[in-house]
Amino acid sequence: MDNESARLEDRVERLEQIVTELLARTGTAASRESPTPVGGDSGVAVSTQPFAPIETVESSEAAADSNAYLAFVGRTFLVLGGAFLLRAVTDSGQVARGVGVIIGFAYALLWLIAADRGARQQRLSALFHGCAAVIIAFPLVWESATRFELLSPNVAAATVVLLTSLTLGVAARADLAAVATLAMTSALCLAVALLVVTQQFVPLSIALALVGVATLWVGYWRRWPWLAWLPALLADAVVASLVQRTLSGDSSSPPMTVILIQFGLLGAYLGSFALQTRLRQRSVDPFEIVQTAAVTAIGLIGAVLVSHYSEVGVAVVGVGSFALALVSYGAALACRRSGGGYAANFHFYASFGLVCALVGSIAMLPGPVAAIFFAVAALAVAWLAGRLPQATLLFHAFVYAFAMAAASGLLALVGAAFVVAPASEWLAVGLPVWLALLVTGALVVGTRPPRVDASEVTRLSHACVLLLFTLEASAIVVVMLAPSVAGTPANAGVLATLRTVVLAAATLLLAMIRYREPTIVSAWLINLMHGIVGLKLVVDDFRHSEPATLFLALGVFGVALIVTARLVRRPSAPRSSGA
């Protein structure tokens, strides 16, 4: 055993000697291969050790990067110096201003092309070339439009869009986020400055909208979602300012042109959102939701205001709104059929379709025609909600039913029946009112929740429809009985009691329906009706009723509460054993 241990120790010592000799030879070879610079020491220490420390390598790489940045910064200053040389030649009169401006744009375009071609080999060089092109081109547009007066506001706005599009294209192709950000910021600053100086809202609002859409698509391409926020905000603000100036009479732009700009802003963004969500099969993101709300308020509702103010383009706004509604509902159904869990897209497009339909009807249709449209829309959407099924569409049916009640005069009848007594005569219950009540009743029967475990949105939507129908039917009863019971003009105390009795009876009827069919009437709806009647007693009955009529109102409401409590306590009616 001792001999074997000694042999192992000898072998280990020989291996250590061999490794030491190899390391010494490697260090000698490295020192021989490193040339000595002509003219003395170069200032860069070359390590003769076989393995240099990691800190030394990192520090040398950082120094190399800083030197590269300095070199490119110096090259950029030379490029800018060339631009100022062209400016000096132009100012001296040796070159005409128009020719000098053209040469300046060509000079900026040259460096933009250099950035595009050099991006594959040296991205850092392409970055500085692209920034230099932006720094040269955009200030040149400002001077050409203001100082030299060579570019009109329309041409200046088109030039801003062209330069921004070219720069964004190069930046996206070369994956240069800094160049894209600089181009976007420069374009926005230049557009705002031109707007302040020239007060030409039409061309510059169009330019800002196009720049916003361009940044949106570049952001989609390169996954730069932050790029589109500021252009969209500024485009919305400028178009909104244009609308405000038109409504106040301070704008010289034709109202039809303003309407077309509003629809252009709306269509450009919503079309982009629809293509992206459909092609990439993804859900809408926060920017798309926020911007849709903004362009809907500015582009759609603002267009209605402009058209009614100027009495121009009403038909265009109405037809455009209905077209957008159809397209939006079609996109929502397409999202539903595609599946894949894109429920947010369905809600997004369906909600926008609802807004467009409401705006279009308000802008274009008179009251009776609008009531018929809302009735058809409510029934159609409720039918779709039963076939899909989709709780969002059931809520849309309630909204259309509410709009139908407003357009037909039924909502005004509800207000007259329970809020304000008429001074001379009661409102007539005409055919549009009866048709609206019939449609709401059909919605109640046709959209009843089929299961106890239906979604909360479904149950809430159905309860809203049922509440609307209850108030409408109660209002018609009050209006029909009031002339003979309360007189004309109506006695305030008798009318208050009549209102309370009718509402209490309606609450009791709802409780009886819930007793027979718990899925039709929600418990909270009955409690809400109790709250409405109680509030009415405090606000109306105690102020206007005589003791005798107040006794009747309180008694009826008390009996209704007792009976309702017993009915609601049991979830369903007992089944007869004889069947």
Side-chain angles (χ1 to χ4, degrees):
M1 295 295 294
D2 294 337
N3 295 332
E4 293 180 358
S5 299
R7 289 177 182 177
L8 288 174
E9 290 178 357
D10 293 337
R11 290 179 179 178
V12 171
E13 289 177 358
R14 278 184 286 175
L15 286 174
E16 289 179 351
Q17 292 176 358
I18 293 172
V19 171
T20 302
E21 292 176 359
L22 288 174
L23 290 177
R25 292 177 182 178
T26 304
T28 304
S31 62
R32 290 176 181 176
E33 291 175 358
S34 58
T36 302
V38 179
D41 188 8
S42 63
V44 180
V46 180
S47 175
T48 59
Q49 297 180 358
F51 300 102
I54 296 177
E55 292 81 0
T56 305
V57 175
E58 291 180 348
S59 62
S60 62
E61 290 178 353
D65 290 341
S66 63
N67 291 334
Y69 274 102
L70 289 176
F72 286 121
V73 170
R75 184 188 299 177
T76 303
F77 277 108
L78 288 177
V79 173
L80 295 179
F84 278 100
L85 177 61
L86 291 174
R87 167 72 178 276
V89 172
T90 303
D91 289 341
S92 65
Q94 299 179 8
V95 177
R97 286 183 175 180
V99 177
V101 168
I102 294 174
I103 295 175
F105 282 125
Y107 186 67
L109 183 61
L110 175 66
W111 292 110
L112 189 62
I113 295 173
D116 181 57
R117 291 187 175 182
R120 298 179 182 178
Q121 290 79 20
Q122 292 183 336
R123 294 188 69 254
L124 190 59
S125 176
L127 172 64
F128 281 94
H129 287 162
C131 292
V134 172
I135 295 173
I136 295 171
F138 285 92
L140 185 58
V141 177
W142 166 257
E143 289 202 331
S144 301
T146 57
R147 181 182 177 184
F148 300 149
E149 296 182 352
L150 296 175
L151 302 180
S152 65
N154 294 339
V155 177
T159 306
V160 171
V161 175
L162 179 61
L163 289 177
T164 307
S165 302
L166 290 175
T167 310
L168 288 176
V170 172
R173 181 177 175 181
D175 195 13
L176 300 174
V179 175
T181 304
L182 182 61
M184 177 266 293
T185 307
S186 301
L188 297 184
C189 293
L190 177 58
V192 172
L194 291 173
L195 185 64
V196 172
V197 172
T198 64
Q199 293 295 306
Q200 297 294 321
F201 278 80
V202 170
L204 292 170
S205 61
I206 296 174
L208 286 172
L210 294 176
V211 169
V213 175
T215 55
L216 175 67
W217 279 96
V218 171
Y220 283 145
W221 180 11
R222 278 299 179 182
R223 302 295 194 274
W224 298 336
W226 41 265
L227 192 64
W229 280 93
L230 188 56
L233 178 63
L234 193 56
D236 296 341
V238 173
V239 176
S241 179
L242 177 61
V243 173
Q244 187 273 331
R245 288 168 59 88
T246 303
L247 294 177
S248 62
D250 297 335
S251 176
S252 59
S253 304
M256 193 63 196
T257 302
V258 178
I259 292 174
L260 292 178
I261 291 175
Q262 292 172 282
F263 269 97
L265 178 70
L266 179 69
Y269 272 103
L270 290 182
S272 300
F273 298 160
L275 287 176
Q276 282 295 316
T277 54
R278 184 61 180 167
L279 294 178
R280 294 189 175 183
Q281 294 295 311
R282 62 168 180 81
S283 299
V284 290
D285 58 27
F287 169 76
E288 292 167 345
I289 296 174
V290 172
Q291 182 62 2
T292 298
V295 297
T296 301
I298 298 170
L300 191 61
I301 301 177
V304 173
L305 295 177
V306 172
S307 64
H308 280 276
Y309 170 80
S310 59
E311 298 182 354
V312 174
V314 176
V316 174
V317 174
V319 173
S321 300
F322 285 129
L324 287 174
L326 291 176
V327 172
S328 299
Y329 274 117
L333 295 177
C335 293
R336 176 71 183 180
R337 287 195 299 267
S338 62
Y342 301 107
N345 290 357
F346 179 87
H347 301 320
F348 175 76
Y349 290 116
S351 300
F352 182 73
L354 173 65
V355 173
C356 290
L358 293 176
V359 171
S361 61
I362 294 173
M364 188 175 179
L365 301 179
V369 180
I372 296 175
F373 168 76
F374 289 135
V376 174
L379 294 175
V381 171
W383 178 77
L384 285 176
R387 288 178 61 87
L388 289 180
Q390 182 55 247
T392 303
L393 294 179
L394 187 56
F395 179 75
H396 288 193
F398 162 71
V399 175
Y400 284 125
F402 188 85
M404 173 190 61
S408 63
L410 183 53
L411 202 60
L413 193 70
V414 173
F418 295 113
V419 180
V420 180
S424 57
E425 60 181 10
W426 289 90
L427 296 177
V429 182
L431 181 60
V433 172
W434 288 110
L435 290 178
L437 181 66
L438 180 63
V439 172
T440 309
L443 291 177
V444 172
V445 176
T447 61
R448 51 179 291 184
R451 302 182 309 275
V452 180
D453 59 343
S455 66
E456 292 298 327
V457 178
T458 301
R459 301 183 67 83
L460 177 62
S461 302
H462 180 266
C464 290
V465 176
L466 182 57
L467 176 62
L468 180 63
F469 176 75
T470 302
L471 294 177
E472 292 173 350
S474 301
I476 291 178
V477 172
V478 170
V479 171
M480 294 181 66
L481 294 178
S484 58
V485 174
T488 303
N491 181 282
V494 176
L495 179 60
T497 301
L498 176 62
R499 291 169 170 172
T500 302
V501 170
V502 172
L503 288 176
T507 306
L508 185 60
L509 181 60
L510 289 177
M512 295 175 62
I513 296 174
R514 175 172 173 78
Y515 176 74
R516 300 296 303 177
E517 293 288 343
T519 60
I520 296 180
V521 181
S522 301
W524 69 265
L525 179 58
I526 298 177
N527 295 330
L528 178 61
M529 289 295 298
H530 287 159
I532 293 174
V533 179
L535 180 63
K536 183 200 166 298
L537 281 171
V538 175
V539 175
D540 190 16
D541 293 69
F542 283 107
R543 291 179 56 194
H544 302 108
S545 295
E546 300 291 334
T549 55
L550 187 59
F551 163 76
L552 178 61
L554 292 174
V556 171
F557 184 49
V559 171
L561 286 175
I562 295 172
V563 176
T564 300
R566 293 184 178 181
L567 291 175
V568 174
R569 189 180 307 158
R570 301 179 64 183
S572 60
R575 295 183 180 180
S576 60
S577 58

